[in-house]
Amino acid sequence: MVDKKTFQLPRRAIALVLAGGRGSRLHELTDRRAKPAVHFGGKFRIIDFALSNCVNSQFRRIGVVTQYKSHSLLRHLQRGWNFLHGEVNEFVDLLPAQQRVDEESWYRGTADAVYQNIDILETYRPSPEYVVVLAGDHVYKMNYGLMLVDHVESGAECTIACIEVPRRDASGFGVMAVDDRGLITDFIEKPADPPAMAGNPDMSLCSMGVYVFNAKYLYEELERDIADPTSNHDFGKDIIPRAVMNRVAAAHPFSRSCVIAADDVRRENYWRDVGTIDAYWDANIDLTATVPSLNLYDRNWPVWTYQQQLPPAKFVHNHMDRRGTAVESTVSSGSIVSGEVNRSLLFSGCRVHSYSRVNLSVLLPDTTVGTRARLSHCVVDAGCSIPAGMVIGEDPEEDARRFRRTEGGISLVTRKMLERLS
């Protein structure tokens, strides 16, 4: 067993959050922002979950690697994540693509994004002994400190967090096989036909995109990889398969470090990719349930974020035919409701005008729903103004003509789509 020095392990590590991806399966929702900057849960951005996990796990040296349309993300980090104390060596360091290696290459893959910042990592004091690499576009609560202890005890050069996923959904992940000692014996990135877990034909063991490396090993592997002209310079396609081939990669089951509040009724190991419009809608609407799958009310593991200083939400008018109501819904600060809201999630600054109805929908910040409009099964992007009387979600063909309608029947509405109609 690792001795009491394990309590100091997070201080001997650096956490790198990879936040440069677009998230193309979210379509127009990421036209103006990177996927980690997409709004989630009424007041958060997706990246807040990985960053909050770092802070709550006592990882206080954090780098955020950005690239695609990063302005919204950088602004959020500057406003909401400037509370760490530099005088005690706590920081969130912003690492945008800067062509640091040469004047032609931006980040060419996840591994290259880390490689191009090795010179910065080597300036940190004390020098990191471990590097925790995190995807910044997933929603979950995890104690990375417990994973780091597992990594050190295993003696592996790298450790990969893993979660059981139904085989039918596993083709979008790296899929692995593990032996009795916890070493990874096989790894396939995004297979068309995902292999099943031993003894469980309906499930696959998938990578969560959370890695712990011994720093020296990682730097050497990145140097080797960057010199390989056939490499994709990607962790899932290149770095991890090679570590598995050399039998120096261990698996860390998410169940060992998933954070579940003592009073959680569902006791679910919650982890969501929210990488499609349907998955994004479903995860947000789930938060309106009486007992949601994700507990955002656990004061022992808060989700930190930036929020504007806004007044409380308000529900106005009290007439028989004109009354602002919200049932089984989440309504954020600065919103005013004088219509009817049912099983929906409203971000800050929304306006739902009289005689309108919002059902099973997600309204991003500063959305306005005009008088007598009706919305059902929608995701409405920030700053949209739904015209008075407009109906969305009741006629599939009309919805598909005007907006983006998914296979699951969710309509994505953006300002550009509304402008085209006008």
Side-chain angles (χ1 to χ4, degrees), residues 266-282:
R266 300 182 69 158
R267 312 298 295 175
E268 177 183 348
N269 293 330
Y270 185 97
W271 182 85
R272 298 290 187 273
D273 182 17
V274 296
T276 66
I277 297 298
D278 287 334
Y280 177 80
W281 174 87
D282 183 71

Side-chain angles (χ1 to χ4, degrees), residues 18 69 127 131 192 197 200 207 225 299 317 375 394 401:
L18 303 182
K69 294 190 177 178
S127 184
V131 180
M197 295 176 62
N200 194 343
S207 167
D225 179 79
R299 294 191 177 186
H317 304 305
L375 305 182
E394 299 180 13
R401 181 185 69 81

Side-chain angles (χ1 to χ4, degrees), residues 62-65 91-95 120 124:
I62 306 166
V64 180
V65 182
F91 57 80
V92 174
D93 215 352
L94 306 181
L95 304 172
I120 294 177
Y124 295 145

Side-chain angles (χ1 to χ4, degrees), residues 18-137:
L18 303 182
R22 172 178 180 176
S24 58
R25 294 180 299 160
L26 287 174
H27 301 290
E28 292 85 357
L29 205 56
T30 53
D31 273 355
R32 297 184 293 118
R33 58 181 78 90
K35 182 183 173 185
V38 170
H39 302 272
F40 184 85
K43 63 183 291 186
F44 309 104
R45 305 290 185 115
I46 293 175
I47 196 173
D48 289 328
F49 290 86
L51 292 173
S52 295
N53 288 337
C54 288
V55 171
N56 293 332
S57 302
Q58 303 306 312
F59 288 79
R60 302 298 178 94
R61 297 195 294 170
I62 306 166
V64 180
V65 182
T66 67
Q67 179 160 276
Y68 172 82
K69 294 190 177 178
S70 60
H71 175 70
S72 175
L73 176 60
L74 293 173
R75 182 176 59 190
H76 173 72
L77 296 174
Q78 289 166 343
R79 293 177 177 178
W81 285 92
N82 58 2
F83 58 84
L84 297 180
H85 299 285
E87 60 270 20
V88 291
N89 206 23
E90 299 178 351
F91 57 80
V92 174
D93 215 352
L94 306 181
L95 304 172
Q98 300 180 66
Q99 297 180 310
R100 298 182 62 86
V101 175
D102 56 53
E103 295 184 359
E104 297 179 358
S105 301
W106 300 100
Y107 296 150
R108 294 164 291 181
T110 53
D112 183 51
V114 176
Y115 170 77
Q116 290 202 35
N117 288 289
I118 286 179
D119 61 330
I120 294 177
L121 301 182
E122 291 178 333
T123 67
Y124 295 145
R125 294 292 181 269
S127 184
E129 298 175 46
Y130 309 102
V131 180
V132 182
V133 179
L134 311 167
D137 55 0

Side-chain angles (χ1 to χ4, degrees), residues 349-366:
C350 289
R351 299 288 187 271
V352 179
H353 286 286
S354 298
Y355 312 110
S356 61
R357 293 208 301 268
V358 178
N359 182 55
L360 287 163
S361 294
V362 180
L363 308 187
L364 271 61
D366 302 316

Side-chain angles (χ1 to χ4, degrees), residues 45-262:
R45 305 290 185 115
I46 293 175
I47 196 173
D48 289 328
F49 290 86
L51 292 173
S52 295
N53 288 337
C54 288
V55 171
N56 293 332
S57 302
Q58 303 306 312
F59 288 79
R60 302 298 178 94
R61 297 195 294 170
I62 306 166
V64 180
V65 182
T66 67
Q67 179 160 276
Y68 172 82
K69 294 190 177 178
S70 60
H71 175 70
S72 175
L73 176 60
L74 293 173
R75 182 176 59 190
H76 173 72
L77 296 174
Q78 289 166 343
R79 293 177 177 178
W81 285 92
N82 58 2
F83 58 84
L84 297 180
H85 299 285
E87 60 270 20
V88 291
N89 206 23
E90 299 178 351
F91 57 80
V92 174
D93 215 352
L94 306 181
L95 304 172
Q98 300 180 66
Q99 297 180 310
R100 298 182 62 86
V101 175
D102 56 53
E103 295 184 359
E104 297 179 358
S105 301
W106 300 100
Y107 296 150
R108 294 164 291 181
T110 53
D112 183 51
V114 176
Y115 170 77
Q116 290 202 35
N117 288 289
I118 286 179
D119 61 330
I120 294 177
L121 301 182
E122 291 178 333
T123 67
Y124 295 145
R125 294 292 181 269
S127 184
E129 298 175 46
Y130 309 102
V131 180
V132 182
V133 179
L134 311 167
D137 55 0
H138 299 146
V139 177
Y140 63 108
K141 297 196 293 183
M142 179 178 181
N143 188 332
Y144 301 138
L146 297 179
M147 181 178 176
L148 181 53
V149 170
D150 250 16
H151 170 77
V152 174
E153 290 183 341
S154 74
E157 297 285 2
C158 80
T159 298
I160 305 167
C162 56
I163 189 170
E164 297 180 13
V165 173
R167 275 191 68 198
R168 65 180 182 274
D169 301 325
S171 58
F173 302 93
V175 180
M176 67 184 77
V178 180
D179 67 15
D180 293 339
R181 296 176 298 163
L183 285 178
I184 302 173
T185 58
D186 195 18
F187 185 91
I188 308 172
E189 179 72 358
K190 298 181 179 179
D193 184 20
M197 295 176 62
N200 194 343
D202 297 325
M203 304 294 286
S204 295
L205 191 61
C206 295
S207 167
M208 295 171 57
V210 177
Y211 315 119
V212 179
F213 292 94
N214 293 339
K216 184 175 183 295
Y217 169 83
L218 176 62
Y219 299 163
E220 290 174 352
E221 282 299 291
L222 293 177
E223 291 280 0
R224 179 203 56 78
D225 179 79
I226 208 67
D228 182 357
T230 66
S231 175
N232 296 286
H233 311 305
D234 184 84
F235 279 107
K237 295 177 181 177
D238 304 292
I239 303 299
I240 300 303
R242 179 178 168 85
V244 171
M245 180 183 67
N246 293 332
R247 297 192 60 78
V248 295
H252 171 83
F254 180 45
S255 58
R256 292 185 189 172
S257 53
C258 177
V259 175
I260 301 176

